[in-house]
Amino acid sequence: MNARSRRRLPWLVPIGILAATAAVGGLSSALPAGADPIPVLPALTPAQLLDKVRTAQVTALSGDVTLTSNLGLPDLSALGVRSGTVLDLLAGTHHAHLAVDDPDHVRIALGAPEAERDWIRNGADLWSWDSASQHVQHTILPDHTGEGTGRSAKASTPASDPTTELDPRVAADQLLQSIDPTTEVSVRTPGYVAGRPVYELVVTPRTPNSTVQDGTISVDAATGVPLAVRIDARSTGTAALSLTFTSISFDQPSASTFAFDPPPGATVEEAANPAQLLPLGGNGGHRRGGGKATDAPLGPGTAPAVPVTPAATSGGKGGTTAIGTGWETVEVLSGQSLGRSFQALFANSPTVTVGDQQAHLVSTALINALVFDDGRIAVAAMTPAALTAAVAGA
């Protein structure tokens, strides 16, 4: 499957089964003092704005980001899903601090009451850290040496690298992959993000079978760096997901920002791969430093993600195949091992007929999934009816 065939919402990558895959319209709240409500910028065509994004040369930055999720999921706590897992990011508003020097040096700090959860990438080392539980996870990234110095080094970044999950630039990169003949691209009235003038690039699916009404990328007028991404759901006409910088600096972060040593007394778990640093309420890897294995704590992830990349499930041994093309692509993940949190969610979801089989239907405003008893999961940003028909006809 080529990159353009995958309609993936990057901040959903950590959500496992949903991986296959401050509102931009209200930017006046981020106006600099005394600024005009609408910035005066040179007019750009969609092609010119796309070129501005794709040729941006900024590699180092830091700032505060906000993820807002309104997917229409049921109350997960009522299903027995504990807080403190990555499922928390499926609802509500979450704030983090992002620091990037280059693709191999990234830190995300997710704030929480009386605690902090961090993901740190420092060369080949990838860490997650939960200050409340004094729990550390660590893995060595394969083939970590990046090629090039652009906004992202795709060749050096594992699909499940959690340090990409709350980066609006990465979200924008993946949304831009959707641009093909099945997509309409336009430019809306400029606005502001984090006090900076931005262009608004809008990506709209041409098919009524997509759950996405449109996606909007706010592009910094000076640098071409995406500062915000918003995905509007067709079913509601409002933002289902938005990821935005609320403050940003293009100064180079200090090297000490990316240095990490497990604090004395912390429990350290060696993970087999980056996906295990995207916990869903289970545990994996091997611990050192004593202590009994318990559910892994949340590291700050998104999505997104959609939000994507091989699924970040707990050690699934199967592969991923595709049905359809464009915005009507369905990704079928086989051999998936579901964590307890997702099992609770699926157990309360309706059963639908798919050809001569039965499956649980898990629905959100953007992503729908069919979960089969044989370990297959079919995921798409398509309406339930379109998804079921596509899988039944494959």
Side-chain angles (χ1 to χ4, degrees):
M1 183 187 336
N2 61 45
R4 289 191 174 183
S5 70
R6 307 174 80 140
R7 299 295 170 253
R8 304 186 295 184
L9 304 180
W11 42 82
L12 291 183
V13 180
I15 312 308
I17 65 147
L18 300 185
T21 91
V24 175
L27 299 177
S28 59
S29 62
L31 239 70
D36 292 332
I38 299 175
V40 179
L41 300 174
L44 294 180
T45 66
Q48 290 171 324
L49 187 51
L50 283 169
D51 185 63
K52 187 177 185 68
V53 174
R54 289 168 173 161
T55 59
Q57 296 300 309
V58 172
T59 59
L61 56 81
S62 61
D64 296 317
V65 295
T66 295
L67 169 66
T68 300
S69 303
N70 185 22
L71 296 174
L73 283 170
D75 181 0
L76 297 179
S77 63
L79 302 178
V81 178
R82 67 179 177 85
S83 63
T85 73
V86 75
L87 293 180
D88 292 343
L89 298 181
L90 284 174
T93 298
H94 307 271
H95 305 283
H97 185 78
L98 172 68
V100 181
D101 191 1
D102 56 44
D104 284 340
H105 296 86
V106 183
R107 184 168 190 147
I108 296 175
L110 183 69
E114 301 178 359
E116 183 176 302
R117 302 181 180 108
D118 291 52
W119 282 343
I120 306 102
R121 180 173 180 176
N122 190 10
D125 291 295
L126 183 63
W127 302 88
S128 71
W129 158 240
D130 187 317
S131 66
S133 64
Q134 293 286 295
H135 184 100
V136 175
Q137 288 179 294
H138 172 258
T139 192
I140 300 294
L141 291 167
D143 189 26
H144 76 283
T145 302
E147 297 179 6
T149 58
R151 295 186 315 280
S152 61
K154 296 181 178 64
S156 69
T157 302
S160 52
D161 181 351
T163 60
T164 67
E165 303 309 329
L166 287 176
D167 189 338
R169 304 169 310 150
V170 177
D173 279 344
Q174 296 196 3
L175 184 57
L176 290 175
Q177 293 175 18
S178 67
I179 297 175
D180 63 13
T182 70
T183 310
E184 179 182 350
V185 183
S186 58
V187 178
R188 284 184 185 157
T189 303
Y192 291 92
V193 169
R196 298 179 64 89
V198 295
Y199 292 95
E200 293 187 19
L201 180 69
V202 183
V203 176
T204 305
R206 296 184 187 274
T207 171
N209 290 330
S210 175
T211 56
V212 177
Q213 176 171 294
D214 55 43
T216 303
I217 302 172
S218 296
V219 181
D220 185 54
T223 66
V225 171
L227 300 184
V229 177
R230 166 177 165 162
I231 307 295
D232 286 350
R234 188 183 299 274
S235 60
T236 64
T238 60
L241 289 168
S242 66
L243 182 61
T244 181
F245 280 102
T246 57
S247 68
I248 191 167
S249 167
F250 294 106
D251 294 335
Q252 185 175 25
S254 168
S256 62
T257 303
F258 312 104
F260 181 79
D261 291 312
T267 299
V268 181
E269 178 181 343
E270 289 295 333
N273 56 64
Q276 291 185 352
L277 274 68
L278 301 169
L280 305 175
N283 73 79
H286 304 283
R287 291 170 179 260
R288 66 175 186 260
K292 184 178 180 181
T294 59
D295 282 356
L298 169 67
T302 158
V306 180
V308 50
T309 301
T313 51
S314 53
K317 297 180 180 179
T320 303
T321 58
I323 301 170
T325 60
W327 290 91
E328 297 185 1
T329 297
V330 180
E331 294 201 15
V332 181
L333 294 68
S334 59
Q336 299 304 303
S337 174
L338 303 178
R340 292 189 299 275
S341 298
F342 283 117
Q343 290 172 353
L345 180 60
F346 298 153
N348 289 271
S349 62
T351 300
V352 297
T353 299
V354 185
D356 58 357
Q357 302 179 70
Q358 299 291 305
H360 286 286
L361 173 65
V362 181
S363 289
T364 76
L366 288 180
I367 303 296
N368 291 301
L370 296 171
V371 184
F372 294 88
D373 291 339
D374 61 8
R376 288 178 299 130
I377 304 173
V379 185
M382 294 167 61
T383 64
L387 170 61
T388 300
V391 175

